[in-house]
Amino acid sequence: MKRFVSLLASLFILLPFLRLPEASAVGFPYKNKLNSESALLVSLDTNEVLTEKNADTPQCPGPLVNIMTAVIVLENCKDLNEQLTLDPEVYTPVYYEIPVPEDLPHVEVSDNDELTIKDLLYCMMLTSSIEASETLADHFGKQFMSSDDGSVERPSTIFVKKMNEKAQELGLTSTKFTNAHGMHDPEQYTTARDLAKLTEYALNVPHFREIATASTYQPAVPNATRHPNRDKWVWNHSNLMMDDQDPDNQYYFMGAKGIKTSNLEAAGRSIVTIASKNGYNYLAVLLKAPFKTDDGESRFCHLDDASNLLNWAFQHFSKQELLAATAEMGEKPVKLADNGGKNYVIARPKESVERLWCDEVDTSLINKDKIIWYKDEFQAPVKSGDALGSVTLVYAGEELATVELVAVSDVDRSKTKYNIEVAKRFHKSEWFRNAVKISIILCIVYIIICIYALIIFKSNKKPLKPIYAVPKLDKKKKKKKRPDNDRMNRQ
């Protein structure tokens, strides 16, 4: 149990350092004018940034912050059907903080209405309702306060802290939240790139997609006393690109879905939306479009930008083969190859490289010369499919993909060449060096044994007795010599 608790604590410690995978950027040029100051177009299928404009410039998000508000609520909610009461004391103070009264979003809700958490999420995401966002922030902020050891801060302030903690966890390095409702605050900012990361994450949070992409919603709780005509009590998504019911709607875009819009005098018009068509899925982020065109005409320029970008993507992007698996990428020499065969091997990609590509850009502009060979020369035998190196595809300074290079066919080894090579290299081989070392060691051991045996032999040899030190005389010879001696004496 202690080990489990320790592991759990470690995960919580590491959580803030987790990061979403970065979207790879190719940077295809979008030739038409964009009214929005910042823009980003991402493929949801491949996580590739197709084009961008000032994607890292801080901008006021406005009600786009409701995306994060919804994420915090959904990840901490135990029961979406729990009913909450709209308390005017919770959200009325916000009205006095709004610098431009015209920015106040209008939605048909009343004080003391009873709505489920799910109702409030729809209300917030479709209409940017301050009543809904502040009620949710207050409710969940109180839950977070229970672990803050008697904090005297407002529940909504505690909720915003959770929003910023989540932003840090997701790697939104250029984002700061100061409120959950999204009304203008100069201290609240984000970027198109951070909003794209946040939205991609949110789309994988349970219930977020269905809520944020709904075109209309009717509250589950009737509240008949305040809303007697319940059939007319319906909330419509503020993204007019979804509205296919109005024949005069010039902003309708087939395949567009949600997710959030923002219209603030101080921050311009902004939108985060997704669109699907013919099996391709894109995410568009447009920030700070003007309220009027250059001619002074009042217009939803952010919707124009979103439609133009998405049209461009659907018309000009498709999955293309940038490098075929059969392409010959070069050849390398092979040592000890059989005389009856070739003494080189041809390399090809292990697999084809396919990528979402713009038909306005010629694929011949892709650099395929960045090859790294594992060896300058290979040695037979080489089998088809053996790894030889790798190639990296580069376009406009950006690495598109790296794929391994493998042998196209077998290259057999010549036995004669191999035996000669082994003989030449034997004295340099590890086996030879080890054999010499072992031989020297055995010789030394043998010499030591011989010396030891000699010492033992000498120490065990018996000394000669003194009597045997003087040679014995033959008695017969002694007798024969005496007469001669006597004769000598006589003379």
Side-chain angles (χ1 to χ4, degrees):
M1 184 63 181
K2 289 183 178 179
R3 185 176 296 176
F4 175 76
V5 173
S6 300
L7 179 61
L8 206 60
S10 300
L11 289 175
F12 277 113
I13 292 172
L14 292 173
L15 198 58
F17 300 98
L18 297 177
R19 292 291 183 269
L20 288 175
E22 296 287 340
S24 59
V26 177
F28 294 101
Y30 180 69
K31 300 175 182 178
N32 299 324
K33 177 186 176 182
L34 288 174
N35 298 294
S36 303
E37 288 192 6
S38 296
L40 192 74
L41 180 65
V42 181
S43 167
L44 293 176
D45 305 311
T46 61
N47 196 40
E48 298 170 55
V49 174
L50 304 185
T51 194
E52 61 182 73
K53 173 187 176 183
N54 301 326
D56 298 306
T57 300
Q59 305 283 7
C60 174
L64 300 183
V65 304
N66 292 159
I67 298 173
M68 179 62 88
T69 304
V71 167
I72 301 299
V73 170
L74 288 169
E75 290 188 335
N76 292 277
C77 182
K78 297 179 181 178
D79 183 11
L80 286 175
N81 294 317
E82 180 183 357
Q83 293 187 14
L84 305 180
T85 301
L86 297 184
D87 183 357
E89 293 185 3
V90 170
Y91 48 79
T92 301
V94 178
Y95 298 160
Y96 302 106
E97 299 172 2
I98 299 175
V100 183
E102 289 77 10
D103 287 342
L104 181 64
H106 297 283
V107 62
E108 193 177 351
V109 293
S110 303
D111 296 345
N112 300 315
D113 272 350
E114 290 186 358
L115 297 169
T116 65
I117 292 176
K118 186 177 181 180
D119 290 339
L120 292 168
L121 284 168
Y122 274 98
C123 186
M124 177 183 68
M125 293 303 295
L126 273 60
T127 72
S128 303
S129 168
I130 292 176
E131 294 87 349
S133 58
E134 281 300 284
T135 299
L136 291 170
D138 180 77
H139 176 73
F140 285 91
K142 288 175 181 176
Q143 294 184 9
F144 300 146
M145 285 177 67
S146 62
S147 60
D148 286 343
D149 300 327
S151 174
V152 295
E153 293 181 291
R154 291 172 56 187
S156 58
T157 302
I158 302 298
F159 186 89
V160 172
K161 284 186 177 180
K162 293 294 181 180
M163 294 172 65
N164 284 309
E165 289 174 5
K166 191 68 179 180
Q168 183 181 6
E169 174 190 329
L170 299 180
L172 311 184
T173 56
S174 300
T175 296
K176 178 184 177 183
F177 297 112
T178 60
N179 60 58
H181 49 73
M183 290 300 100
H184 181 258
D185 183 339
E187 297 298 319
Q188 184 161 251
Y189 56 86
T190 188
T191 65
R193 198 179 309 280
D194 278 2
L195 279 173
K197 290 182 187 178
L198 172 59
T199 305
E200 287 184 89
Y201 175 84
L203 286 169
N204 292 304
V205 174
H207 306 293
F208 178 86
R209 184 188 290 264
E210 63 184 83
I211 293 173
T213 60
S215 57
T216 62
Y217 181 77
Q218 188 174 48
V221 184
N223 290 275
T225 57
R226 298 175 188 80
H227 307 278
N229 298 322
R230 185 172 184 270
D231 292 341
K232 297 182 180 180
W233 194 25
V234 177
W235 300 320
N236 297 311
H237 204 296
S238 57
N239 184 358
L240 295 178
M241 296 173 69
M242 301 172 63
D243 185 7
D244 59 350
Q245 302 300 315
D246 183 2
D248 297 326
N249 179 17
Q250 55 184 315
Y251 300 105
Y252 173 68
F253 187 92
M254 183 179 292
K257 300 177 182 179
I259 288 177
K260 200 77 196 75
T261 64
S262 169
N263 292 275
L264 296 181
E265 189 68 32
R269 301 188 191 274
S270 302
I271 185 173
V272 175
T273 189
I274 60 175
S276 303
K277 190 182 296 184
N278 300 326
Y280 293 96
N281 303 278
Y282 298 105
L283 165 66
V285 180
L286 288 307
L287 301 180
K288 202 175 181 180
F291 277 77
K292 296 181 180 181
T293 64
D294 295 338
D295 298 330
E297 177 190 357
S298 180
R299 189 167 179 82
F300 294 133
C301 297
H302 60 317
L303 302 185
D304 288 333
D305 286 346
S307 295
N308 292 335
L309 270 182
L310 292 170
N311 262 326
W312 175 66
F314 287 123
Q315 291 176 8
H316 295 285
F317 281 84
S318 62
K319 199 169 185 180
Q320 296 188 32
E321 186 179 66
L322 304 184
L323 182 64
T326 56
E328 294 185 0
M329 302 305 297
E331 60 183 51
K332 298 298 284 185
V334 178
K335 293 172 59 178
L336 311 181
D338 189 0
N339 289 332
K342 54 196 174 192
N343 59 354
Y344 64 91
V345 61
I346 298 175
R348 64 167 179 83
K350 185 177 182 180
E351 56 192 5
S352 62
V353 176
E354 293 184 342
R355 191 178 176 118
L356 199 63
W357 197 256
C358 181
D359 60 15
E360 297 176 326
V361 177
D362 191 348
T363 55
S364 64
L365 297 176
I366 299 174
N367 185 350
K368 304 172 185 177
D369 298 330
K370 192 176 180 181
I371 298 177
I372 297 176
W373 298 102
Y374 295 153
K375 294 179 181 178
D376 293 331
E377 185 180 41
F378 294 88
Q379 181 172 305
V382 176
K383 298 296 182 182
S384 174
D386 283 355
L388 304 177
S390 66
V391 58
T392 299
L393 307 187
V394 180
Y395 167 72
E398 295 287 342
E399 293 186 357
L400 303 179
T402 298
V403 63
E404 195 169 48
L405 298 177
V406 297
V408 171
S409 58
D410 296 344
V411 178
D412 296 328
R413 181 173 63 191
S414 168
K415 292 183 179 179
T416 303
K417 291 180 180 180
Y418 177 72
N419 291 333
I420 294 174
E421 182 70 15
V422 170
K424 288 180 180 179
R425 294 185 302 172
F426 180 71
H427 69 284
K428 297 180 180 180
S429 68
E430 190 69 22
W431 286 97
F432 181 77
R433 288 194 292 268
N434 290 337
V436 172
K437 292 177 184 177
I438 293 172
S439 300
I440 293 173
I441 293 173
L442 290 176
C443 289
I444 294 173
V445 171
Y446 177 75
I447 293 172
I448 293 173
I449 292 174
C450 290
I451 294 173
Y452 177 75
L454 181 62
I455 294 173
I456 295 299
F457 174 77
K458 286 187 176 182
S459 63
N460 291 336
K461 186 177 180 181
K462 296 181 180 180
L464 293 174
K465 293 181 180 181
I467 188 172
Y468 295 112
V470 179
K472 294 180 180 180
L473 295 175
D474 191 344
K475 292 181 178 182
K476 292 180 180 181
K477 289 182 179 182
K478 188 176 180 182
K479 289 179 179 179
K480 288 180 180 180
K481 289 181 179 181
R482 281 181 180 176
D484 294 334
N485 291 337
D486 290 341
R487 269 191 234 108
M488 290 291 292
N489 291 333
R490 281 192 220 113
Q491 290 176 1

